[in-house]
Amino acid sequence: MDPRDVFDWALLVVIGTVLYVELFGLGFSRERLDTIVETLLGFDLTVYLVVAGVFGVLFVGYIVMYLPQKYSTSALERTR
């Protein structure tokens, strides 16, 4: 794994942890878990479809745009 990838994942974990603590606090009770589950289950199906569509578009963009550049650059480095 590239050091930049490790840094990106670590940054993502830190940001997620800070957001969670800011929104919900450090304690984690059964009532809070029930509230989170009820909120997620209360969303309309359209919300899930839109979120899945956005992630799908981002994933296809990653496959089509980033991966070919990454592998073409690493292939050039291997031939040298």
Side-chain angles (χ1 to χ4, degrees):
M1 210 177 200
D2 188 26
R4 174 62 195 231
D5 293 337
V6 174
F7 174 75
D8 288 343
W9 280 108
L11 189 61
L12 185 66
V13 168
V14 168
I15 289 173
T17 304
V18 168
L19 283 175
Y20 177 80
V21 169
E22 186 67 31
L23 291 174
F24 301 112
L26 289 175
F28 195 76
S29 63
R30 176 74 180 180
E31 294 82 22
R32 184 165 292 152
L33 179 64
D34 289 340
T35 304
I36 293 171
V37 170
E38 286 176 16
T39 302
L40 290 175
L41 292 177
F43 287 138
D44 188 31
L45 180 63
T46 310
V47 173
Y48 293 112
L49 291 174
V50 169
V51 170
V54 167
F55 280 117
V57 167
L58 292 174
F59 181 68
V60 170
Y62 171 76
I63 290 173
V64 172
M65 297 173 71
Y66 177 72
L67 285 181
Q69 291 175 348
K70 180 179 177 181
Y71 286 117
S72 67
T73 309
S74 63
L76 286 173
E77 291 173 358
R78 282 184 280 176
T79 58
R80 291 182 184 172

